[in-house]
Amino acid sequence: MKYFILLQAFLVCATSGQVRTLLENVEFPGNDIERIAAPDAECCQIYCTVHFRCTFFTFILENRGIPSYTCLLKFTNNGLPLRRATLANAVSGFRLSTVDPNKHSCFTKTYKDTDFLGSDIRTLLRETLTECQDSCTASPDCQFFTYARKMCFHKFATKLPSPPVINILGNVVSGFSPRDCDDSTCDSTCPEYLIPNFDFAGEDFDQVLAPDAENCQLICSNHPHCQYFTFLTEDWAVDNRKFFCYLKRFNPRTPSLVFIQNAISGFSLRGFGIKKRCSDHIFKGLNFLGNDRGVVKADSDQQCKRLCKEDPLCQFFTFVDGAFSNVAQRKDCHMKSVIALPKPPLIVYVKDAVAGFSRIP
């Protein structure tokens, strides 16, 4: 009981945004909701903070003498861990209530004997670690890097948020935060056209969900590997792949077009000076299911959109209008997010390698 009272007092402080205390050699067993890679406990805490559901975490520094880089995101309804245990080389803590993750110190550090494995987009020869990090920062599509033997490996994981589930539901409206929108458009040579009822067969390297073909094209245009795409519309009836957005890249052959009803294909706008980084469309009758950061009341979908824009951690939303069947849910504005911060998919120990992030402005 004494521990629980002390833990409650700590949580009040931690969630007030005044305390960033990390508990060394402490584990919060159980209640895991996601396992990700993080270079240190500070970054693990930031990933927990921006995660829509995480309330506390445990970071494992080592496992049987081998560096671990394991960040375990955790959740309980009251925000308190059910148990606390002593575990050597573990660090635990709570989410922060207020944070500007783009300016957090863990994203300016470099990590010795560490490789952010995979996700390479280019390799450069650089004389020093600083030159490597500077070159990553100067490249808009470089999110993090590994430097070893004067080779600088630029890397990219993901940039634009994509809803994890999209379904069709009457009397709801969904959309994205317009916070990062740029109104610049392509010139007359930009191939913005979309090709209905055709698929660019094969060459997929990733797939995400998108509410329409334009949003799929936007995601493709902001990915350094994507050169063209195929999107399956809400009328797709062959299987359950409605709203699937397939990102593709060229092989030495010209991509082949195959007729497929209710598919839409197109090209990346990346090579045509595109600057737009978000979609400000409203999608009526689509529900971005799950990933709620919170629910507030709003008078309209436009007000819900503004509320999402004002919340630095809200990336997309769903608004329930006044005609929805459940009266209690009418006018609900569900503000949602995914982890869209630079997040290496795999971190491993490599002697004499150094890894780090782009110096995010």
Side-chain angles (χ1 to χ4, degrees), residues 48-196:
C48 178
T49 300
V50 301
H51 191 278
F52 73 99
R53 198 168 173 226
C54 179
T55 52
F56 53 95
F57 66 92
T58 292
F59 177 75
I60 309 298
L61 289 165
E62 291 183 8
N63 185 8
R64 298 177 182 178
I66 300 174
S68 173
Y69 311 107
T70 300
C71 175
L72 299 170
L73 306 183
K74 301 167 181 281
F75 168 84
T76 57
N77 286 327
N78 65 1
L80 292 169
L82 299 181
R83 292 191 297 137
R84 167 177 172 159
T86 299
L87 180 65
N89 297 313
V91 178
S92 294
F94 298 89
R95 69 178 298 159
L96 303 171
S97 62
T98 57
V99 66
D100 183 349
N102 288 342
K103 296 181 179 177
H104 196 266
S105 62
C106 80
F107 293 114
T108 61
K109 295 178 185 176
T110 55
Y111 299 90
K112 185 173 172 52
D113 297 329
T114 303
D115 179 16
F116 291 165
L117 190 63
S119 303
D120 293 16
I121 56 174
R122 69 179 64 87
T123 304
L124 305 173
L125 182 64
R126 290 294 181 266
E127 288 296 320
T128 66
L129 171 63
T130 299
E131 289 179 7
C132 179
Q133 188 171 37
D134 288 346
S135 70
C136 180
T137 303
S139 301
D141 55 6
C142 181
Q143 295 180 318
F144 42 91
F145 66 89
T146 294
Y147 181 70
R149 298 184 180 91
K150 297 189 177 182
M151 301 305 295
C152 179
F153 301 88
H154 286 195
K155 299 167 182 281
F156 174 95
T158 186
K159 191 164 287 186
L160 294 182
S162 171
V165 179
I166 300 175
N167 61 22
I168 299 169
L169 182 65
N171 302 118
V172 302
V173 174
S174 295
F176 296 89
S177 169
R179 185 168 42 251
D180 299 321
C181 283
D182 188 315
D183 293 329
S184 62
T185 57
C186 299
D187 61 26
S188 59
T189 65
C190 178
E192 290 185 279
Y193 63 86
L194 300 172
I195 309 169

Side-chain angles (χ1 to χ4, degrees), residues 203-224:
E203 312 307 329
D204 307 351
F205 71 87
D206 199 2
Q207 66 186 48
V208 296
L209 292 181
D212 65 6
E214 288 82 1
N215 189 257
C216 181
Q217 186 176 48
L218 182 66
I219 293 170
C220 177
S221 299
N222 282 277
H223 196 295

Side-chain angles (χ1 to χ4, degrees), residues 20 22 45 53 56 68 266 268 334 352:
R20 295 171 180 252
L22 297 173
Q45 186 174 45
R53 198 168 173 226
F56 53 95
S68 173
S268 168
H334 297 258
D352 297 326

